[in-house]
Amino acid sequence: MNYRFQLSGSRPVREANYNTFVHPALHPDRIMNCHDFLYIIDGTWEIGLETAPRADSSPIESGAAIPNFPESLPDREILLANTGDLMILPANLRHYGTAPCSPNCRNMYIHTEVLPGDLPSEDMSPDSLPAAGSSVSHAACTDSSAGDTICFPSVIHCLQNQVIPDLFSEIITVYWNDSPLKQKKLSCLFELLLCEIKEQQVKSPAAFKHYAFVDSVAKYLHANPQTFFTASEVAEHFSVSERTLNNRFREIHQKTLYTYQMEQKLEMVRQFLRANPGITLRETASNFGFYDEFHLSKAFKKHFGISPKYMR
């Protein structure tokens, strides 16, 4: 099942916390009027999801008997989540445990409000389909008719993505802090979480494990704009070979470290010159690690097609 979530708009977070089940337990049998985002830190959990809303969507009492659904019933889905998986249990749809979780199962959960653009969606737009040869089973989608929305499957495998559990953890920390801006911060963090989940859906599974490394290198470069690093300097700093460094940049950005760094610096220079018209090209070159103003001017004109002096 796919479900659309509205991106734009303030989305209150009702609850957020960690759970540990020392002994195996079934997930509660219930219908909630809020979304349940569940990240498995360690262990496994199997949950049934009715993929069509009931006429009577009132919450089911804890411990109520679970109907014996036929296996062929089209409006029932069995979700199996393992360590590093994100499970999405939408509002107003019944979900219940079909098998106990593993011993010492640990998870993080977030309960969030429903927005007008949230709704089930079985159709996938052509632009949302995975690229040829991709192993992504369900891509995130956008739908202009529903506003700024994104589409997710019920279970998302994100073991290699450390950003998602980090955002879960940050949301939980903010939820339990006493701050007058708590809900505003929670809404912003949850929207970041949705964006990160969307981006993961279109990343190449083969290269995904290298995203964290490449992002770390990019942060290092951005934090030191005054230095134009050689590949050997960066490789030594991150304890990898130059070949590995460039190969990983090609996987993620389709360019070498040198090309990536040059393009980023030239864009920084363009913005810097617009904001600081009184700074000389010599000073600008020093600020961004170029040999001199001639080196900067030549690279700038080659990239943008105009001389940097016209940016003033």
Side-chain angles (χ1 to χ4, degrees), residues 201 271 274:
Q201 295 297 91
Q271 295 180 13
R274 283 179 171 175

Side-chain angles (χ1 to χ4, degrees), residues 10 28 82 101 139 161:
S10 177
N82 298 295
C101 65
N161 188 336

Side-chain angles (χ1 to χ4, degrees), residues 262-271 273-274 296-308 311:
M262 175 63 80
E263 291 177 355
Q264 293 282 308
K265 281 186 174 294
L266 290 173
E267 179 58 31
M268 291 179 185
V269 166
R270 187 176 70 88
Q271 295 180 13
L273 290 174
R274 283 179 171 175
L296 170 59
S297 293
K298 182 178 180 180
F300 193 97
K301 187 172 183 179
K302 180 179 179 181
H303 185 69
F304 291 111
I306 61 171
S307 171
M311 298 305 300

Side-chain angles (χ1 to χ4, degrees), residues 251-288:
E251 280 183 288
I252 307 305
H253 294 294
Q254 291 74 53
K255 62 190 68 171
T256 64
L257 172 74
Y258 175 84
T259 301
Y260 174 87
Q261 187 175 195
M262 175 63 80
E263 291 177 355
Q264 293 282 308
K265 281 186 174 294
L266 290 173
E267 179 58 31
M268 291 179 185
V269 166
R270 187 176 70 88
Q271 295 180 13
F272 181 79
L273 290 174
R274 283 179 171 175
N276 301 275
I279 301 293
T280 65
L281 285 182
R282 172 179 285 188
E283 290 176 292
T284 302
S286 297
N287 290 342
F288 291 94

Side-chain angles (χ1 to χ4, degrees), residues 80-290:
L80 177 61
N82 298 295
T83 300
D85 286 347
L86 169 63
M87 189 179 296
I88 300 175
L89 305 172
N92 303 316
L93 298 180
R94 180 187 177 222
H95 55 267
Y96 51 90
T98 55
C101 65
S102 58
N104 297 306
C105 181
R106 296 188 301 132
N107 64 65
M108 296 181 281
Y109 73 87
I110 301 169
H111 294 168
T112 69
E113 296 280 1
V114 180
L115 296 186
D118 299 347
L119 72 163
S121 175
E122 292 306 322
D123 64 299
M124 301 292 283
S125 65
D127 292 340
S128 73
L129 297 176
S134 171
S135 63
V136 179
S137 58
H138 294 280
C141 66
T142 59
D143 180 3
S144 58
S145 65
D148 192 4
T149 63
I150 49 181
C151 188
F152 299 134
S154 303
V155 177
I156 300 169
H157 307 296
C158 41
L159 181 61
Q160 301 295 332
N161 188 336
Q162 187 57 41
V163 176
I164 289 176
D166 285 349
L167 284 169
F168 261 82
S169 180
E170 183 65 18
I171 288 171
I172 293 170
T173 298
V174 171
Y175 176 81
W176 288 100
N177 282 342
D178 187 15
S179 166
L181 296 175
K182 181 169 76 172
Q183 277 302 330
K184 177 65 71 174
K185 293 164 71 175
L186 287 172
S187 180
C188 292
L189 285 168
F190 190 78
E191 186 147 332
L192 280 175
L193 176 63
L194 291 181
C195 290
E196 182 62 31
I197 298 170
K198 175 184 177 182
E199 285 193 345
Q200 166 163 314
Q201 295 297 91
V202 296
K203 290 177 179 177
S204 163
F208 188 79
K209 61 182 179 180
H210 298 151
Y211 272 88
F213 169 76
V214 171
D215 284 348
S216 296
V217 174
K219 289 178 182 178
Y220 180 67
L221 299 177
H222 295 152
N224 297 277
Q226 76 284 357
T227 304
F228 208 121
F229 294 100
T230 64
S232 61
E233 290 172 333
V234 176
E236 182 178 358
H237 180 82
F238 286 91
S239 302
V240 297
S241 68
E242 289 184 51
R243 181 177 180 180
T244 296
L245 178 67
N246 280 315
N247 284 344
R248 291 183 180 177
F249 259 82
R250 285 193 186 96
E251 280 183 288
I252 307 305
H253 294 294
Q254 291 74 53
K255 62 190 68 171
T256 64
L257 172 74
Y258 175 84
T259 301
Y260 174 87
Q261 187 175 195
M262 175 63 80
E263 291 177 355
Q264 293 282 308
K265 281 186 174 294
L266 290 173
E267 179 58 31
M268 291 179 185
V269 166
R270 187 176 70 88
Q271 295 180 13
F272 181 79
L273 290 174
R274 283 179 171 175
N276 301 275
I279 301 293
T280 65
L281 285 182
R282 172 179 285 188
E283 290 176 292
T284 302
S286 297
N287 290 342
F288 291 94
F290 290 89

